[in-house]
Amino acid sequence: MYSQKVLDHFRNPRNVGRMDNPDGVGKVGNPVCGDVMVMYLKIKNDIIEDAMFETFGCGAAIATSSIATELIKGKPIHEAQNITNKAVVEALDGLPPAKMHCSVLAEEAVKSAIEDYEKKRNEGEGKPAESA
Amino acid sequence: MYSQKVLDHFRNPRNVGRMDNPDGVGKVGNPVCGDVMVMYLKIKNDIIEDAMFETFGCGAAIATSSIATELIKGKPIHEAQNITNKAVVEALDGLPPAKMHCSVLAEEAVKSAIEDYEKKRNEGEGKPAESA
Amino acid sequence: MIYLDHNATTPADPRVVKKMLPYFSEKYGNPSSVHSFGQEARAAIEEARHHIATLMHCHEKEIIFTSGGTEANNLAIRGTLEATKKKGRHLVTSSIEHHAVLNVFKRLEKEGYEVTFLPVNSDGRIEIQTLAEALRPDTVLVSVMTANNESGVMEPIEEIGFLLHERGILFHTDAVQAVGKIPLDCSSLPIDLLSASAHKFGGPKGAGFVYCRKNIRINPQIVGGHHEKGRRAGTENVPCIIGMGKAAEIAHQEINKEVFRIGALRDKLEEGILKSIPEVRIVSKNVLRLYNTSLVLVKYVEGEAMLLNLDFEGIEVSSGSACTSGSLEPSHVLLACGYPHEDAHGSIRFSLGKTNTEEEINTVLEVFPRVVEKLRKMSPFKAQSLT
Amino acid sequence: MIYLDHNATTPADPRVVKKMLPYFSEKYGNPSSVHSFGQEARAAIEEARHHIATLMHCHEKEIIFTSGGTEANNLAIRGTLEATKKKGRHLVTSSIEHHAVLNVFKRLEKEGYEVTFLPVNSDGRIEIQTLAEALRPDTVLVSVMTANNESGVMEPIEEIGFLLHERGILFHTDAVQAVGKIPLDCSSLPIDLLSASAHKFGGPKGAGFVYCRKNIRINPQIVGGHHEKGRRAGTENVPCIIGMGKAAEIAHQEINKEVFRIGALRDKLEEGILKSIPEVRIVSKNVLRLYNTSLVLVKYVEGEAMLLNLDFEGIEVSSGSACTSGSLEPSHVLLACGYPHEDAHGSIRFSLGKTNTEEEINTVLEVFPRVVEKLRKMSPFKAQSLT
Ligand SMILES: Cc1ncc(COP(=O)(O)O)c(C=O)c1O
Ligand SMILES: Cc1ncc(COP(=O)(O)O)c(C=O)c1O
């Protein structure tokens, strides 16, 4: 059912855990549907220096979260922002049709975390430091 | 499917063949239906001295013909006339439901042969010998 | 490997396979053949029918062979509806049936029947009062399973049957998870139709049966030759039917031996889990359940993720029902019992069988808490934080 | 024993049984189970599907597993009729189909379809012209068998298919007697649906398949879980499917080897019979037939009586079709070919297979004339006297 790559990322997920003081956080999904992903980013000079995740979900949900952090680490945010679920699926050597939505969730988690970072930065730029 | 008794009578049918100068002959069934029985009787003093048969038909048709000749040999005709298909079936330790009609055919063959004998006798009694 | 997925399928008992083996390449006759070689196969499947009738306390003629439990359910329900003289367009089933029953009723609904899908209480049981209220003058058939495949909960089929028979309504029960595991006596149970599947009780995949009470008319769903007295066409699966017969014979002799041993192992497993893992619960723990089944809800983690991690450690279990895999829906059984979606996603089913040992249970009790801990560490939800 | 009843059923090839064996008690996982143990069984049945697709020159997705040929016919015909968008109430089949097709159409007739049962010519073949004239604007589906089980006669399925495809009519062929015996190439044949059965070509009883051309919609006839991509529910019969796959692999490799050897034996048998027994005839002798089948009509004696006598001598054959046993009707195939009832009652079918040897044929040629002579002595009909 799952490729070796999926099983590997599920079994030994990379970059798992909650990040202290992240620069951006994206939370997507919903426990009713059975998948929740939280993506944490550390960003310096528009480069993603570190990425971590926490996921409640099936094997595919955990594997896509893991591979997504790998894919974006070290990348400029404008590149990471263009991550597609297709790229996630390819990096995992495929996903079963019923699990494709997990790759979409991973894409959304990355985008939402970057958005959060940009929102915070804009707020930080536009307002005096003490209001942050 | 068939009892040992049926198979035995089918394999080694008793009294098979055409009889020379029978006193009564009964022919029942019809090749279209797949079964034809001819029963030949030799009768002396109203006792069935000999019975023979020729049958075109399935295993059950041949076995019922054979057992029927056995059942009536040595019997007075008024007894043989009361032969039932049930008696034939019992004597064979049963028949499959789809083959029950063969036992009816055997009963009819016996009755028809006796009828033929009686008809001939009546004709013989009522008319001068030379007209026979 | 520690196999704890016996409700999905069981290994065929070696005695079963031994009995089947000559019928593939040696005594391979077609039971419909008139010659003695065919009749030898015929005699063997009739012997199998005898063993099944003995297990079920019914007459041989009341047993119709099928290719499995799903086909048995389809035949029992559709076949009698087509044949019954009582006209009526209302049917009743429960909302926790296996898909092999649920989808038959959904199809019938499309064809114009009205179907009531009965709710269950929080224990997962049909309440007689609820059923009684659902019945209508035009109700023709009710189907309620004997034991649920996910939770193991036993439904009150005896009470249900008596109620229905008073009203002249046909009663079918999907006993796929019960036959061979618990004694069922069709001569005294108020059941008209019952479905079973060989591979759930030590027989091979590819054979099942419908018990159809004498005088209940049933139309074949697969038509063709005059097999099974015109109730199911197709060359009989001789080896698998013989295997099912042997499995029935073994079950009949050994049912009582296994109940207590397996039940004790299951209880040990449940106690161990409750003791070592916080925030878990056993579904319908205090209700009459199959002695081999344990459905565990683990908070903050998802079922498949637990299943796969256990699989990595050589422990085979199921999350919800194996037969619904590929579906993203959480178990319809848990939802019907009133569990919220988020809890229903976190279910793991352990189902034990004959070959399981205490040692295996000890291993599971060592591994499972570790797996849950690992996954909870990855989870964005922590104790008391799930909303 | 000399087994000459291969059209009724064949022994499972020992290589087939060997391949199946581990899947009963060792690799017994449920292919729907998510764990690796279940996925191992899944991979094995997908490998079997691959072998079947290779044999049939089609795509794996076009193969739907069933429990046998009868179920395959039911699914192919009813399933597509339920799903097709082209509305129409007229169907066509032949009058020499197996009961597993005929009775599906009789059932459909009862449900409101109009069915034309096409006559065949005296050779037992459908004439294209007859078919063309039977077609109507509202004809939705035609089913004509690839090869007849009693006589071995091959129907002109290629011409039929081209005619039907021109008119957009679905074409199903019951290829139960052809698959594995002769090469069939679904990629070039104008066939939409085809049925097959494992036990007719060296596989086990209990498995069959429908080939369902891509883009042809088909409704499941057995509903339940989402097996076979929603086209046939029920836990897969893993060992039997694997066995069928192996039988397909063997057939694919060895078909060419066997055709000539078996064909020569069959021809020798026929020549010998014609030479040694007066007043016999071979049905459709000079028509394209399966190389393994010989249907012999013997005057003045009945088929079952010959069959049983041959059985006593250890020779297993069939009279008419094994699957209609229990019926008193003479073969509907012979009647359709125009033979009178009395001749049709006297039929014996020899059907050869891989394991048959020349020595066996010699024995038959020694025994069979004796059997006929014995029965003719008992018969009230003598040469030229049957009316
Ligand atoms: C309760 C129940 N009914 C029906 C079935 C279907 O039986 P089968 O797998 O033999 O088709 C199953 C198991 O899959 C089951 O657990
Ligand atoms: C032409 C034909 N179609 C269908 C069938 C039925 O196949 P099965 O016996 O696998 O149900 C048979 C054999 O019995 C057959 O010869």
Side-chain angles (χ1 to χ4, degrees):
Chain A
M1 180 170 126
Y2 286 132
S3 70
Q4 283 309 313
K5 205 78 175 273
V6 173
L7 290 177
D8 173 42
H9 273 269
F10 168 66
R11 191 162 188 174
N12 307 300
R14 329 298 197 247
N15 311 308
V16 69
R18 190 167 296 185
M19 189 184 277
D20 291 332
N21 303 317
D23 297 310
V25 178
K27 179 171 174 180
V28 296
N30 150 1
V32 171
C33 303
D35 302 291
V36 175
M37 278 182 204
V38 186
M39 182 75 61
Y40 304 95
L41 303 180
K42 182 115 339 201
I43 297 174
K44 206 170 248 173
N45 300 331
D46 281 356
I47 304 280
I48 296 177
E49 288 213 317
D50 200 7
M52 289 178 83
F53 77 92
E54 289 183 309
T55 290
F56 163 85
C58 65
I62 290 170
T64 53
S65 313
S66 167
I67 197 89
T69 58
E70 292 270 277
L71 286 175
I72 59 172
K73 266 172 78 170
K75 293 263 163 69
I77 54 172
H78 69 268
E79 252 184 57
Q81 217 154 13
N82 291 328
I83 190 172
T84 60
N85 80 306
K86 209 166 143 263
V88 170
V89 172
E90 272 166 18
L92 287 171
D93 296 341
L95 273 181
K99 300 294 190 178
M100 281 301 181
H101 73 285
C102 294
S103 65
V104 176
L105 224 54
E107 175 192 326
E108 285 172 359
V110 170
K111 288 181 173 166
S112 150
I114 295 176
E115 226 168 75
D116 178 60
Y117 161 73
E118 290 183 331
K119 205 172 110 215
K120 278 185 189 148
R121 194 179 53 176
N122 290 341
E123 280 168 0
E125 277 173 359
K127 292 177 190 174
E130 56 272 26
S131 76
Chain B
M1 176 170 126
Y2 286 132
S3 70
Q4 282 310 311
K5 205 77 173 276
V6 173
L7 290 177
D8 174 40
H9 272 269
F10 168 67
R11 192 162 186 174
N12 307 300
R14 328 301 196 245
N15 313 307
V16 69
R18 190 167 295 181
M19 188 183 276
D20 292 329
N21 303 317
D23 296 313
V25 178
K27 180 171 173 181
V28 297
N30 148 2
V32 172
C33 302
D35 300 292
V36 175
M37 277 182 204
V38 186
M39 183 74 64
Y40 304 95
L41 302 180
K42 180 109 352 191
I43 298 174
K44 207 171 245 172
N45 298 330
D46 281 358
I47 303 281
I48 296 177
E49 287 215 315
D50 200 7
M52 289 178 82
F53 77 92
E54 289 184 309
T55 290
F56 164 84
C58 64
I62 290 170
T64 53
S65 312
S66 166
I67 197 91
T69 58
E70 292 269 277
L71 286 174
I72 59 171
K73 265 171 80 168
K75 294 263 165 68
I77 55 173
H78 69 268
E79 250 184 57
Q81 218 154 14
N82 291 329
I83 191 173
T84 59
N85 81 304
K86 208 165 145 261
V88 170
V89 172
E90 272 166 17
L92 287 171
D93 297 342
L95 274 182
K99 300 294 189 178
M100 280 302 183
H101 73 285
C102 293
S103 64
V104 176
L105 223 52
E107 175 192 325
E108 286 172 359
V110 170
K111 288 182 173 165
S112 150
I114 295 175
E115 225 168 75
D116 178 59
Y117 161 73
E118 291 183 331
K119 207 173 108 214
K120 278 184 192 150
R121 194 180 52 174
N122 292 342
E123 282 167 1
E125 278 174 1
K127 291 176 190 175
E130 58 272 20
S131 76
Chain C
M1 180 189 63
I2 300 178
Y3 187 76
L4 295 172
D5 202 8
H6 289 83
N7 286 11
T9 194
T10 63
D13 188 298
R15 291 167 288 180
V16 163
V17 182
K18 191 169 164 231
K19 182 106 192 213
M20 294 169 68
L21 218 48
Y23 292 88
F24 288 108
S25 310
E26 293 150 46
K27 309 181 189 180
Y28 56 85
N30 186 325
S32 295
S33 292
V34 174
H35 48 64
S36 54
F37 189 59
Q39 293 304 304
E40 190 178 354
R42 160 73 46 216
I45 68 174
E46 294 312 322
E47 186 199 319
R49 203 188 304 275
H50 172 74
H51 287 308
I52 290 163
T54 304
L55 177 67
M56 302 309 295
H57 300 266
C58 71
H59 196 285
E60 281 85 357
K61 283 186 192 150
E62 295 175 318
I63 299 297
I64 309 169
F65 292 134
T66 69
S67 67
T70 298
E71 190 198 330
N73 282 329
N74 278 257
L75 171 58
I77 297 168
R78 292 186 70 88
T80 44
L81 281 181
E82 280 176 20
T84 185
K85 276 179 195 147
K86 178 170 171 181
K87 292 300 164 223
R89 307 216 56 82
H90 183 236
L91 309 170
V92 178
T93 188
S94 86
S95 44
I96 58 158
E97 297 297 314
H98 190 271
H99 284 100
V101 167
L102 280 184
N103 286 345
V104 173
F105 282 102
K106 287 192 181 148
R107 189 174 166 199
L108 288 164
E109 230 176 4
K110 275 196 205 134
E111 291 171 16
Y113 281 94
E114 282 174 62
V115 183
T116 301
F117 294 90
L118 284 183
V120 291
N121 64 21
S122 61
D123 287 335
R125 298 194 98 208
I126 295 280
E127 297 196 343
I128 283 290
Q129 193 51 34
T130 317
L131 170 62
E133 282 161 17
L135 298 179
R136 311 192 320 205
D138 64 343
T139 308
V140 260
L141 182 143
V142 172
S143 178
V144 174
M145 69 203 312
T146 310
N148 185 268
N149 44 304
E150 295 188 29
S151 64
V153 168
M154 313 271 299
E155 296 302 328
I157 55 165
E158 198 159 355
E159 286 115 292
I160 292 174
F162 284 125
L163 174 68
L164 297 175
H165 279 192
E166 264 172 26
R167 313 216 184 170
I169 297 170
L170 286 169
F171 180 38
H172 167 257
T173 186
D174 174 353
V176 166
Q177 290 294 346
V179 167
K181 284 190 193 134
I182 56 168
L184 286 171
D185 181 343
C186 290
S187 73
S188 67
L189 280 171
I191 292 171
D192 298 310
L193 297 144
L194 173 150
S195 311
S197 182
H199 74 98
K200 306 284 188 183
F201 64 98
K205 294 173 184 66
F209 66 86
V210 170
Y211 155 79
C212 177
R213 183 182 293 284
K214 203 174 56 157
N215 297 331
I216 301 236
R217 294 150 52 99
I218 189 161
N219 273 11
Q221 295 304 294
I222 297 177
V223 300
H226 190 78
H227 309 83
E228 296 299 297
K229 301 191 186 300
R231 297 172 298 179
R232 200 281 188 184
T235 298
E236 297 88 342
N237 186 343
V238 177
C240 290
I241 288 172
I242 288 170
M244 178 164 66
K246 186 70 194 176
E249 191 191 354
I250 294 171
H252 190 61
Q253 289 161 358
E254 300 183 3
I255 263 181
N256 292 327
K257 275 200 243 169
E258 294 295 336
V259 173
F260 299 102
R261 197 186 64 83
I262 296 175
L265 289 183
R266 194 272 314 261
D267 292 346
K268 179 178 172 142
L269 176 69
E270 292 189 342
E271 271 165 49
I273 287 173
L274 289 172
K275 215 181 287 169
S276 60
I277 307 177
E279 294 193 73
V280 295
R281 74 189 274 189
I282 313 288
V283 174
S284 301
K285 186 167 187 343
N286 300 316
V287 183
L288 195 62
R289 275 185 302 158
L290 287 176
Y291 54 86
N292 80 315
T293 308
S294 186
L295 184 59
V296 183
L297 293 187
V298 183
K299 269 200 179 277
Y300 319 130
V301 291
E302 195 268 351
E304 191 200 276
M306 290 188 273
L307 181 163
L308 289 173
N309 268 297
L310 288 170
D311 186 19
F312 292 145
E313 310 265 354
I315 298 170
E316 314 302 336
V317 302
S318 163
S319 87
S321 157
C323 300
T324 57
S325 90
S327 136
L328 297 172
E329 294 292 304
S331 151
H332 67 283
V333 175
L334 288 170
L335 295 182
C337 296
Y339 290 94
H341 272 74
E342 43 270 47
D343 289 4
H345 280 292
S347 74
I348 277 286
R349 179 186 71 189
F350 298 91
S351 49
L352 284 65
K354 275 189 195 181
T355 54
N356 292 130
T357 61
E358 182 154 8
E359 215 186 313
E360 290 180 330
I361 300 303
N362 288 337
T363 306
V364 175
L365 285 175
E366 196 220 297
V367 172
F368 189 45
R370 261 202 280 125
V371 163
V372 172
E373 209 188 314
K374 174 182 167 186
L375 288 170
R376 281 186 173 167
K377 272 205 191 123
M378 287 187 214
S379 175
F381 308 120
K382 305 286 137 122
Q384 311 307 344
S385 73
L386 186 69
T387 40
Chain D
M1 181 188 65
I2 299 177
Y3 187 76
L4 295 172
D5 203 7
H6 290 83
N7 286 11
T9 194
T10 64
D13 188 297
R15 291 167 287 181
V16 164
V17 182
K18 191 171 163 227
K19 183 106 191 212
M20 293 168 67
L21 218 50
Y23 292 88
F24 289 109
S25 310
E26 293 149 46
K27 309 181 189 179
Y28 56 83
N30 187 326
S32 295
S33 292
V34 174
H35 48 64
S36 54
F37 189 60
Q39 292 304 303
E40 191 179 353
R42 160 74 44 217
I45 68 172
E46 294 312 323
E47 186 200 317
R49 203 186 304 274
H50 172 73
H51 288 308
I52 290 162
T54 304
L55 176 67
M56 303 307 297
H57 300 267
C58 71
H59 196 283
E60 281 84 357
K61 283 187 190 148
E62 294 174 317
I63 299 297
I64 309 169
F65 292 134
T66 69
S67 67
T70 299
E71 189 197 330
N73 282 330
N74 278 256
L75 171 58
I77 298 169
R78 291 186 70 88
T80 43
L81 281 181
E82 280 176 20
T84 184
K85 277 179 193 147
K86 177 170 171 181
K87 292 299 164 223
R89 306 215 59 79
H90 184 237
L91 310 170
V92 178
T93 188
S94 85
S95 44
I96 58 160
E97 297 297 313
H98 190 272
H99 285 100
V101 167
L102 280 183
N103 286 345
V104 174
F105 282 102
K106 287 191 181 147
R107 189 174 166 198
L108 289 164
E109 230 176 4
K110 275 196 205 132
E111 290 171 17
Y113 281 94
E114 282 174 63
V115 183
T116 302
F117 294 90
L118 285 184
V120 290
N121 65 20
S122 60
D123 288 335
R125 299 194 98 208
I126 295 279
E127 297 196 343
I128 283 289
Q129 193 52 33
T130 317
L131 171 62
E133 282 160 17
L135 297 179
R136 309 192 322 203
D138 64 342
T139 308
V140 260
L141 181 142
V142 172
S143 178
V144 173
M145 70 203 310
T146 310
N148 184 268
N149 44 305
E150 296 189 29
S151 64
V153 168
M154 314 271 298
E155 297 301 328
I157 55 166
E158 197 159 354
E159 286 113 292
I160 294 174
F162 284 125
L163 174 68
L164 296 175
H165 279 193
E166 263 172 27
R167 314 217 184 169
I169 298 170
L170 286 169
F171 181 38
H172 167 256
T173 187
D174 174 352
V176 165
Q177 290 295 345
V179 166
K181 283 190 195 130
I182 55 167
L184 286 172
D185 181 342
C186 290
S187 74
S188 68
L189 281 170
I191 292 171
D192 299 310
L193 297 144
L194 173 151
S195 312
S197 182
H199 73 98
K200 307 282 189 183
F201 65 98
K205 294 173 185 65
F209 65 85
V210 170
Y211 155 79
C212 177
R213 183 182 292 285
K214 203 175 56 161
N215 296 330
I216 302 239
R217 296 150 51 100
I218 191 162
N219 273 11
Q221 296 303 295
I222 297 177
V223 300
H226 191 78
H227 309 83
E228 296 297 298
K229 302 192 185 299
R231 297 172 298 180
R232 200 283 188 183
T235 298
E236 296 88 343
N237 186 343
V238 178
C240 288
I241 288 171
I242 289 170
M244 178 163 66
K246 185 70 193 174
E249 191 191 354
I250 294 171
H252 189 60
Q253 289 161 357
E254 299 182 3
I255 263 182
N256 292 326
K257 275 200 246 168
E258 294 294 336
V259 173
F260 298 102
R261 197 186 64 83
I262 296 176
L265 289 183
R266 194 274 311 262
D267 291 346
K268 179 178 172 144
L269 175 70
E270 293 190 341
E271 270 166 50
I273 287 174
L274 289 173
K275 216 180 289 170
S276 60
I277 308 178
E279 295 192 69
V280 296
R281 74 188 276 185
I282 313 289
V283 174
S284 300
K285 186 166 185 346
N286 300 313
V287 182
L288 197 62
R289 276 185 301 158
L290 288 175
Y291 54 86
N292 79 316
T293 307
S294 186
L295 183 59
V296 182
L297 293 188
V298 183
K299 270 201 177 277
Y300 319 132
V301 290
E302 197 267 350
E304 191 202 274
M306 290 188 274
L307 181 163
L308 289 173
N309 269 295
L310 288 170
D311 186 20
F312 292 145
E313 310 265 355
I315 298 170
E316 314 301 337
V317 302
S318 162
S319 87
S321 157
C323 301
T324 58
S325 90
S327 135
L328 298 172
E329 293 292 305
S331 150
H332 67 285
V333 175
L334 289 170
L335 297 181
C337 296
Y339 290 94
H341 272 75
E342 43 272 45
D343 290 2
H345 280 293
S347 74
I348 277 286
R349 179 185 70 188
F350 297 91
S351 49
L352 283 67
K354 276 189 196 180
T355 55
N356 292 130
T357 62
E358 182 155 8
E359 215 186 314
E360 290 179 329
I361 299 302
N362 289 337
T363 306
V364 174
L365 285 175
E366 197 221 295
V367 172
F368 188 46
R370 262 202 279 123
V371 163
V372 172
E373 209 189 315
K374 175 183 168 185
L375 287 170
R376 281 185 172 169
K377 272 205 191 119
M378 288 188 212
S379 174
F381 309 120
K382 304 288 135 118
Q384 311 306 343
S385 75
L386 185 68
T387 40

